[in-house]
Amino acid sequence: MSLQICDLHARIVERAILRGISLEIRPGETHAIMGPNGSGKSTLSKVLAGHPDYEVTQGSVVLDGVSLLEREPDERARMGLFLAFQYPCEIPGVSIANFLRAATQARLPEGESLSVTDFYQKLYHEMDALGMQRTFSSRPLNSGFSGGEKKRAEILQMAMLQPRYAVLDETDSGLDIDALKVVAGGVNRLRGPEAGLLIITHYQRLLDYISPDFVHVMVAGRIVQSGGPELALELEKRGYGFLEERYGSSEVSPLAGAGTPG
Amino acid sequence: MIRRMLPEMYNGGTKQTPLPTWWKEIQEAAWVDYERLPMPSRKDERWRFTDLGKLAFTGYTAGFPVPEPSRTELQAFFQRGQAPALLFANDSLLFSRSLSPEAKKKGVLLTPLLEAANGAADLLKSYLFRERVALGAEKLETLHRACATAGALLYVPAGVELEQTVDLSFWLSEENAATFPHILVVLQENARARIHLRFGSTNPKGGFACSVQELFLGAGAQLEIFTGRNWAEGTCSFDLASVRLDRDANSTSFQLNRGGGYTRTESRSRLLGPGSRSVMLSATMARDRQEFDQRSFQEHSAPNTRSDLLYKSALYDSSRTIFAGMIDVDPGAQQTDAYQSNRNLLLSPDAEANALPGLEILANDVRCTHGATIGQVDPEELFYCLQRGIPLEAAQRLFVLGFLTDVIDRIPDADAKRTLAEEIDSSLSQPRRP
């Protein structure tokens, strides 16, 4: 049981962005991917989720023994993959509650219909735990939300859908320290032996609140270094500059063309 | 072209009252006009974009007997309601539920037109067939005048507020049946009423309908009228509505359109008294090869009048919609505030929306805005929904619901709003006819 990414290459139009990513996330583990802007971190999350703009040119992704890449984005999600978006879309006129009802209904076996009472009980329970006003659930999803509200709405969705593997794409960006704590609290509630997490971040500060088991550094479409939580602290101190100098271009990288063991 | 069955041939229906002479004369004159008027033509601007091949006037029979299974089905539908109501099928009155004793005591009248011709002849005579919608379908309007006998008169005397919603429904039960419903509403000064009008079929396919709504609002009167259309596949239908508003009168109309083959609506708001206001709303869900052809006219004839039109359509499959609207402001209609907006959401590459918003302003101190949009689902929004595990079809349903939310939100009455939202939701959950 794991989310296994093996030698993944992907491009958008003609530009190669992922150049051989290998990483395995087991349930119960929390991985962090750090890296400078443009290193391909967000691309990795979108390729995993099946965004149509990206083309996988090489490699494989296997979720609990089932190959992911030839499946539609909604199938991948129902298999247990969740992506907390860096820039969540506004869905005009669709309330959070109705949106989540549709998502929950989609996970039920064919012909079974959702118990509305149970659904709202769970929704309010999760909202209470995230310190959200219940009236928030009737607001149109992400419409006119502040940055913090959008990120909280992502965490609420994650809590409701209980994914096997969650990828959080720069969930900390644009958050003040209070919002960051709430979001981190929500993420920590999901952690447990059943869930594997991949946290993508530019800064170390989110990792003060969600301590990862593994930290990976991504530069120019590759994982160039992996380690424990201490790696994040080192990066915070030294910056990404030295790594970019060393691995910044695919031509000079010693790892070019080869996957890096996760 | 349209045959009429004789009332004697009715199979268990109510016996028809003979028409009074004045009505017969109107019918005869209408036939003459009908023969004289040209068929809709592509050369006529008012039929621009219409797929004239979908118009079918021949082979229908008015006054077709209603067969037993349809009668039973309609009875079951009727019995679910509680409001004062009249239910017609193939132009014969099948069921009715009367007004509350309080409403009757206050002088409110809800009656089939044929009964009104006897019991309230003067009232009927002074209002029936007075209005002309005339947004292109004049030939159909005269055909209606020549054929219409089914329909309702709702009369609310001055100062009376009718609390109960009035349910009027008109049905077709045969592929080759025709119906000519007429809705006549007279609200005297400061009277108030709410009407739920429904058009539908018990047969799976075909039929012809040509209805006219004449709505007269006295000074300060208030009307809310909801029209739900859900004709069987392939039905050719016309619904021509005119609302006349005196000083400070207030009208809100809402149409929910689905089903049918070719559906043309013509809606004229006549703001004749200062301070009057008309809100015109429409939500359309077009599927398969359905065509919805909507024409509107906001006629500002007096100062300080307001009109506000919002028509939204969601188009699936190879469906088509046409919106052609006109805001017309007379030289004397200063301080007019008019708004006209048509928005279309295309859910299929084969769907086609046509929008022709229009303004003609002859006054100089007015505020008029109009606009039209035709858009598709944003691919990022779709990806977001898919990533939550929502399949494509369910995601489209959410987008359509979200898209139509702002029209529904404009309905003032909370119960009506909830009913409509549920109706839209359930019709989207069961994309094929229930």
Side-chain angles (χ1 to χ4, degrees):
Chain A
M1 291 293 180
S2 68
L3 177 65
Q4 193 176 26
I5 304 163
C6 191
D7 191 29
L8 188 64
H9 289 66
R11 64 183 181 190
I12 185 164
V13 199
E14 285 303 303
R15 201 158 63 91
I17 299 184
L18 301 185
R19 301 159 185 261
I21 300 278
S22 293
L23 184 63
E24 184 169 14
I25 300 156
R26 292 177 190 84
E29 293 177 355
T30 298
H31 292 244
I33 289 188
M34 303 182 68
N37 291 328
S39 58
K41 306 188 298 292
S42 285
T43 295
L44 174 62
S45 71
K46 287 186 175 164
V47 168
L48 291 176
H51 194 289
D53 286 355
Y54 299 89
E55 187 196 346
V56 173
T57 50
Q58 198 178 314
S60 68
V61 180
V62 176
L63 190 151
D64 291 349
V66 181
S67 175
L68 205 65
L69 294 177
E70 45 289 337
R71 299 192 180 250
E72 294 296 322
D74 58 319
E75 288 180 270
R76 300 184 191 196
R78 292 194 298 274
M79 284 163 67
L81 181 73
F82 181 90
L83 169 61
F85 286 72
Q86 183 178 5
Y87 304 109
C89 275
E90 297 188 9
I91 311 288
V94 178
S95 69
I96 292 184
N98 282 343
F99 183 81
L100 277 170
R101 269 174 73 175
T104 311
Q105 176 71 53
R107 284 164 170 77
L108 296 177
E110 184 104 21
E112 208 172 294
S113 65
L114 184 66
S115 153
V116 178
T117 325
D118 291 355
F119 170 79
Y120 276 99
Q121 211 165 21
K122 187 170 178 212
L123 179 64
Y124 291 148
H125 174 76
E126 296 298 340
M127 291 183 88
D128 291 348
L130 284 167
M132 295 166 110
Q133 297 276 334
R134 290 183 177 188
T135 51
F136 192 70
S137 68
S138 55
R139 285 178 59 185
L141 184 57
N142 296 327
S143 292
F145 284 18
S146 69
E149 285 174 330
K150 282 185 183 174
K151 296 301 169 76
R152 276 207 235 181
E154 293 291 289
I155 300 302
L156 173 66
Q157 293 176 53
M158 184 173 82
M160 286 296 288
L161 301 176
Q162 292 177 308
R164 287 277 287 166
Y165 302 96
V167 180
L168 290 91
D169 187 9
E170 307 230 6
T171 298
D172 51 335
S173 68
L175 294 187
D176 62 28
I177 196 73
D178 292 328
L180 189 69
K181 282 180 185 169
V182 171
V183 164
V187 174
N188 285 329
R189 286 184 63 238
L190 184 77
R191 290 178 77 170
E194 296 299 311
L197 265 63
L198 178 61
I199 293 166
I200 292 170
T201 182
H202 184 78
Y203 300 104
Q204 193 270 335
R205 61 174 195 160
L206 180 64
L207 306 180
D208 288 341
Y209 301 97
I210 308 170
S211 66
D213 304 306
F214 305 95
V215 174
H216 312 276
V217 184
M218 195 161 156
V219 175
R222 287 188 196 86
I223 289 172
V224 295
Q225 217 172 335
S226 294
E230 72 289 342
L231 181 56
L233 294 169
E234 192 194 330
L235 285 169
E236 182 78 354
K237 230 180 286 163
R238 298 183 61 186
Y240 292 113
F242 78 101
L243 288 169
E244 280 185 288
E245 260 170 50
R246 206 186 303 165
Y247 304 113
S249 147
S250 58
E251 279 74 36
V252 299
S253 170
L255 300 165
T260 310
Chain B
M1 166 175 302
I2 304 264
R3 288 195 304 126
R4 168 164 287 282
M5 284 206 172
L6 297 171
E8 286 74 30
M9 290 172 70
Y10 273 15
N11 184 9
T14 45
K15 186 140 176 65
Q16 293 272 43
T17 333
L19 291 181
T21 318
W22 62 267
W23 191 333
K24 276 191 190 145
E25 283 167 9
I26 291 175
Q27 284 195 337
E28 278 153 26
W31 272 122
V32 175
D33 284 346
Y34 177 74
E35 302 292 344
R36 184 179 51 81
L37 286 165
M39 287 292 285
S41 140
R42 224 30 206 274
K43 279 180 252 159
D44 185 344
E45 180 66 16
R46 300 171 310 168
W47 291 91
R48 198 164 159 211
F49 296 120
T50 302
D51 180 357
L52 294 171
K54 284 187 176 135
L55 270 60
F57 299 177
T58 46
Y60 301 106
T61 304
F64 211 97
V66 182
E68 204 44 59
S70 298
R71 194 178 282 267
T72 313
E73 189 184 326
L74 290 171
Q75 187 167 20
F77 165 81
F78 185 78
Q79 281 168 348
R80 284 201 294 273
Q82 277 157 14
L86 296 173
L87 184 152
F88 296 83
N90 303 350
D91 279 359
S92 66
L93 178 66
L94 290 195
F95 307 106
S96 63
R97 195 162 32 233
S98 55
L99 293 163
S100 69
E102 299 82 58
K104 281 185 189 165
K105 216 160 76 190
K106 287 178 186 163
V108 181
L109 202 62
L110 171 66
T111 171
L113 291 182
L114 288 177
E115 271 179 41
N118 290 327
D122 289 344
L123 183 66
L124 189 67
K125 215 172 148 179
S126 44
Y127 289 102
L128 187 67
F129 302 129
R130 293 287 168 175
E131 283 296 294
R132 297 290 179 268
V133 180
L135 298 181
E138 286 84 341
K139 194 172 178 73
L140 280 305
E141 210 168 357
T142 55
L143 177 66
H144 170 89
R145 230 170 15 252
C147 298
T149 54
L153 165 67
L154 174 68
Y155 170 81
V156 186
V160 174
E161 180 179 340
L162 179 60
E163 278 164 31
Q164 300 166 287
T165 300
V166 172
D167 276 353
L168 302 173
S169 63
F170 297 88
W171 301 81
L172 282 169
S173 77
E174 305 298 316
E175 194 172 350
N176 51 354
T179 181
F180 298 92
H182 196 93
I183 296 93
L184 179 59
V185 176
V186 180
L187 304 185
Q188 300 286 43
E189 264 184 44
N190 298 315
R192 289 181 73 161
R194 188 182 300 123
I195 296 170
H196 195 154
L197 176 61
R198 190 187 296 266
F199 297 109
S201 311
T202 57
N203 57 312
K205 217 176 155 175
F208 178 87
C210 181
S211 53
V212 168
Q213 306 179 32
E214 293 183 284
L215 316 169
F216 296 89
L217 274 64
Q222 288 189 42
L223 176 69
E224 283 172 44
I225 182 160
F226 306 97
T227 305
R229 297 186 187 88
N230 194 8
W231 295 114
E233 180 192 332
T235 305
C236 179
S237 79
F238 301 83
D239 188 21
L240 316 170
S242 170
V243 56
R244 263 182 87 103
L245 300 107
D246 279 357
R247 177 182 290 271
D248 298 326
N250 202 325
S251 147
T252 301
S253 66
F254 184 101
Q255 335 174 13
L256 176 61
N257 298 310
R258 57 213 152 108
Y262 172 79
T263 304
R264 178 160 172 128
T265 68
E266 293 189 1
S267 307
R268 179 186 285 266
S269 279
R270 310 190 61 195
L271 299 139
L272 304 176
S276 57
R277 174 170 183 254
S278 178
V279 179
M280 306 162 79
L281 306 169
S282 170
T284 299
M285 285 168 284
R287 292 185 181 274
D288 305 319
R289 298 193 61 244
Q290 294 162 3
E291 177 164 326
F292 291 90
D293 185 358
Q294 297 183 287
R295 315 274 163 162
S296 68
F297 200 88
Q298 293 153 266
E299 180 184 334
H300 289 262
S301 303
N304 288 306
T305 46
R306 281 184 293 161
S307 67
D308 189 349
L309 178 147
L310 177 61
Y311 279 19
K312 293 187 110 172
S313 299
L315 295 91
Y316 293 84
D317 310 320
S318 309
S319 61
R320 299 181 82 224
T321 60
I322 299 148
F323 169 78
M326 179 60 76
I327 297 174
D328 187 89
V329 183
D330 281 2
Q334 300 295 2
Q335 277 97 47
T336 280
D337 188 345
Y339 182 77
Q340 181 197 78
S341 171
N342 171 235
R343 314 241 171 255
N344 298 281
L345 178 65
L346 301 177
L347 296 143
S348 151
D350 302 322
E352 179 192 315
N354 303 279
L356 292 163
L359 291 175
E360 193 168 316
I361 301 170
L362 299 172
N364 51 23
D365 179 18
V366 299
R367 200 173 69 176
C368 293
T369 47
H370 70 165
T373 56
I374 299 167
Q376 284 155 336
V377 171
D378 178 74
E380 293 302 321
E381 290 177 20
L382 178 61
F383 178 67
Y384 188 86
C385 289
L386 294 173
Q387 208 301 305
R388 295 306 181 243
I390 302 172
L392 179 64
E393 203 173 319
Q396 287 190 333
R397 182 172 149 251
L398 281 180
F399 290 128
V400 172
L401 278 175
F403 173 70
L404 296 177
T405 294
D406 62 340
V407 203
I408 300 162
D409 280 347
R410 300 280 303 277
I411 296 167
D413 182 66
D415 285 340
K417 194 188 292 187
R418 195 173 335 107
T419 312
L420 269 164
E422 282 166 9
E423 208 160 314
I424 291 175
D425 194 17
S426 74
S427 83
L428 287 171
S429 316
Q430 301 159 307
R432 302 303 144 197
R433 282 179 57 77

